[in-house]
Amino acid sequence: MRHWLTPCVAAAALLLSACSTLTPSRPAGWGAPEALVAPSSFSGVHGLAIDRQGRLLAGSVVGNAIWEVDRRTGAAKIVVGGPEGQADDIAIGPKGEMAWTNYLSGAVRIRDHDNAPSRVIASGLPGLNSLDFDRRNGKLYATQVFLGDALYELDPSGAKPPRLIAKNLGGLNGFEVGPDGMIYGPLWFKRSVVRVDPANGAVSVISASFDVPAAANLDGKGNVWVIDTATGELSKVALDNGARQVVARLAPALDNLAIAPDGTIYVSNMADNGIQAVNPATGAVTQLTRGKVAVPAGIKVDGNALWVADVFAYRRVDLASGEVTDLKRMQSSDMEYPFALGLSSKKVALASWFTGTVQVINRASGKTETMLHGWKAPYDALPLEDGSLLVAEIATGSITQASGPNYEQRRVVASGLAGPVQMVLGPDGQLYVTEAAGNVQRIHLKDGSKTTVATGLALPEGLAFTPWGTLVVAESAAARLTEIDLATSQRRTVAEQLPIGLSGAPGMPPPYVATGVAVGADGAVYYSADRNNGIYRIRPQR
């Protein structure tokens, strides 16, 4: 006869078993990284050019490289690596020489042929953006945009200083020098495509019908082709009367274009790491190469979703399928180049050290609640459940708590930090912060007291707690993820030889693109890979 206690014992056993699954135990080890989002080329793609050999060249600022892209297959390889290869625009001279703009370091480089070293011919001009040669005489022109607003003539030999032609044009972006010696290009901030006389800077408007024109190229048939980065439109504009025809509708965040000798128009999209080929006669579009994300940086997990600060976009990834959803894109939204992301139950915070901004977004509606400017290289931002906001500034070595209407009330929680990079709230309710100097600090939010809980790390960046209470940290300088038991100080490697730790260049903070780390409720570790633009998952092994 079955004892009456048997069902109770069985029920208790089931309850204990169910409870044990709520908090996964520490695994014996880790599986190999698997791509949740596949890698791609570039790390944001910008300037395009067709050289004398017929090669399609593409520049990347964040990726610090110039790439060659196969015009048939889309396969890409690096032609000039970092840091010298940082290129916002590329120009080919009358002798086959190649020049490009080092946007963040404010320099122009040139090399005479593939086997020649590059040389700096202009420097000290932050925001050098677009450039092109006058193919009749070899003169070279370049513009500052965003970090300045000016047009210069440069000496290709570098012997003479730049000649200032004009200032405050309105953002003369991706331009081209025509066969008549005039400069044809877009004024980013004036919604116009214009003709500029390089002799005196005189401007005449060809068409003022755009939202945010980003680049313009001539086709040799009396037309200038223009991309609008806000609308994604590729248009043909007649030079004689300014008549405009939209030929192709592409995704926003377009950056540049190049016209091949056969008439094919190649267009770059920074948010997609993409290049598309457009038939000018039919408007037919072929996707030559593309990534699902651009430059994945800060990440956070909640439920079955991964939230991503993607530098040129703000995105969400479904953990089950790997499907990527755009939430905001550069130029077609109010977003400003996010490098880090913080998450609470109601808000998302995007931080950009490049623009000095922290953007607070309503998680439910996706609308921006507040855009806070004037921060000094904010490397991370974390919205708290009480409605306040924590901001880590690497330039001041401090963490500030902002609260109240428009976050105008400010309290420095901690100072004297050796390069605060990323933050996470611990299970104890305290704040844990990585320092670029190699440490992890625990900060008591009420009194600001600091305790060093880990040292000797190789440029630690992203960090996240596991369900069993250990801390996973990305050591970007060592290309590995490390698990730290804070109670015992024991460490073990989660994964190594990872594609993380993108090298910066002059004018960039040492951590550059911080590797994001997140841990799911099941103990799976996620990290963003800034060296190949993939997002990876590492499953615990038990």
Side-chain angles (χ1 to χ4, degrees):
M1 181 176 174
R2 190 181 185 196
H3 196 279
W4 67 273
L5 283 175
T6 302
C8 297
V9 172
L14 287 172
L15 179 61
L16 289 172
S17 175
C19 289
S20 68
T21 62
L22 294 178
T23 303
S25 60
R26 188 176 186 186
W30 303 90
E34 56 189 62
L36 176 67
V37 177
S40 62
S41 304
F42 309 128
S43 297
V45 59
H46 304 292
L48 300 177
I50 307 289
D51 69 6
R52 293 178 70 175
Q53 295 100 297
R55 298 178 299 184
L56 174 61
L57 303 175
S60 175
V61 172
V62 177
N64 288 315
I66 296 174
W67 297 68
E68 177 188 348
V69 182
D70 189 299
R71 291 165 57 190
R72 294 176 295 104
T73 67
K77 63 181 181 180
I78 292 177
V79 174
V80 184
E84 69 180 57
Q86 181 190 104
D88 200 13
D89 199 9
I90 305 166
I92 306 301
K95 299 178 182 178
E97 63 270 49
M98 179 174 69
W100 65 94
T101 51
N102 289 160
Y103 178 79
L104 290 176
S105 55
V108 169
R109 289 180 177 269
I110 192 170
R111 74 176 191 184
D112 295 324
H113 52 79
D114 284 1
N115 297 320
S118 71
R119 62 184 187 274
V120 175
I121 62 168
S123 60
L125 298 171
L128 279 171
N129 189 295
S130 183
L131 80 172
D132 196 27
F133 287 92
D134 186 332
R135 288 157 188 81
R136 304 172 307 165
N137 50 33
K139 289 184 177 182
L140 180 61
Y141 302 100
T143 58
Q144 286 175 295
V145 187
F146 306 120
L147 301 181
D149 189 354
L151 169 64
Y152 295 91
E153 180 184 346
L154 307 181
D155 179 4
S157 72
K160 298 178 182 178
R163 175 179 73 91
L164 176 63
I165 297 172
K167 296 181 70 174
N168 302 319
L169 291 168
L172 181 58
N173 211 332
F175 67 85
E176 183 176 6
V177 180
D180 57 358
M182 296 291 106
I183 291 172
Y184 296 83
L187 296 185
W188 182 285
F189 300 107
K190 292 187 177 181
R191 307 181 65 177
S192 303
V193 172
V194 300
R195 180 187 295 105
V196 182
D197 188 337
N200 53 24
V203 176
S204 57
V205 176
I206 298 170
S207 174
S209 60
F210 298 90
D211 282 13
V212 184
N217 274 22
L218 301 167
D219 64 4
K221 301 177 181 179
N223 305 301
V224 58
W225 289 79
V226 185
I227 53 171
D228 192 313
T229 187
T231 65
E233 294 172 339
L234 170 66
S235 300
K236 179 172 66 174
V237 179
L239 290 173
D240 56 357
N241 59 17
R244 176 187 173 194
Q245 176 189 356
V246 176
V247 175
R249 299 186 186 277
L250 311 172
L254 303 179
D255 192 276
N256 210 304
L257 76 161
I259 302 178
D262 65 1
T264 302
I265 301 171
Y266 295 93
V267 181
S268 63
N269 190 305
M270 65 186 103
D272 292 334
N273 276 346
I275 297 176
Q276 293 170 299
V278 182
N279 183 316
T282 66
V285 179
T286 301
Q287 189 74 52
L288 192 59
T289 183
R290 188 184 191 277
K292 289 188 176 181
V293 295
V295 191
I299 59 175
K300 291 290 186 294
V301 166
D302 189 19
N304 194 41
L306 185 75
W307 305 70
V308 185
D310 198 22
V311 180
F312 299 102
Y314 158 48
R315 291 175 158 129
R316 185 175 60 239
V317 182
D318 183 90
L319 296 183
S321 65
E323 181 181 352
V324 179
T325 301
D326 284 1
L327 302 176
K328 289 182 183 290
R329 294 170 70 95
M330 280 305 301
Q331 316 310 339
S332 63
S333 72
D334 56 359
M335 191 186 67
E336 296 189 16
Y337 301 103
F339 283 78
L341 180 147
L343 196 65
S344 70
S345 63
K346 295 182 179 180
K347 299 182 188 299
V348 177
L350 302 177
S352 175
W353 60 259
F354 177 62
T355 59
T357 53
V358 175
Q359 182 175 7
V360 181
I361 299 169
N362 183 292
R363 187 166 156 177
S365 68
K367 295 182 179 180
T368 299
E369 292 185 350
T370 308
M371 179 71 83
L372 303 171
H373 293 88
W375 296 96
K376 297 180 180 178
Y379 251 72
D380 202 4
L382 183 62
L384 301 181
E385 294 301 329
D386 64 5
S388 65
L389 179 70
L390 295 175
V391 179
E393 294 176 298
I394 200 169
T396 64
S398 65
I399 294 174
T400 298
Q401 186 172 20
S403 60
N406 297 317
Y407 299 96
E408 293 176 352
Q409 298 176 20
R410 306 286 174 90
R411 177 179 73 93
V412 176
V413 173
S415 59
L417 295 168
V421 182
Q422 297 281 275
M423 305 181 289
V424 67
L425 285 177
D428 56 1
Q430 304 308 311
L431 186 68
Y432 291 77
V433 184
T434 51
E435 293 179 302
N439 313 310
V440 177
Q441 297 281 359
R442 180 173 59 226
I443 299 174
H444 195 285
L445 288 176
K446 290 186 177 180
D447 60 18
S449 58
K450 300 191 294 284
T451 303
T452 303
V453 297
T455 60
L457 299 169
L459 191 55
E461 296 180 341
L463 73 170
F465 277 93
T466 65
W468 49 91
T470 59
L471 190 64
V472 176
V473 181
E475 294 185 80
S476 65
R480 67 172 173 244
L481 298 182
T482 301
E483 182 187 18
I484 305 173
D485 187 327
L486 298 181
T488 65
S489 297
Q490 292 183 340
R491 303 180 185 183
R492 66 173 174 174
T493 299
V494 176
E496 55 189 345
Q497 297 182 341
L498 305 177
I500 63 174
L502 185 64
S503 299
M508 306 178 197
Y512 196 31
V513 179
T515 301
V517 176
V519 180
D522 61 353
V525 175
Y526 300 86
Y527 71 91
S528 57
D530 55 5
R531 281 192 173 273
N532 69 6
N533 315 309
I535 299 176
Y536 292 83
R537 172 167 46 207
I538 304 173
R539 300 181 190 270
Q541 301 292 301
R542 294 185 170 85

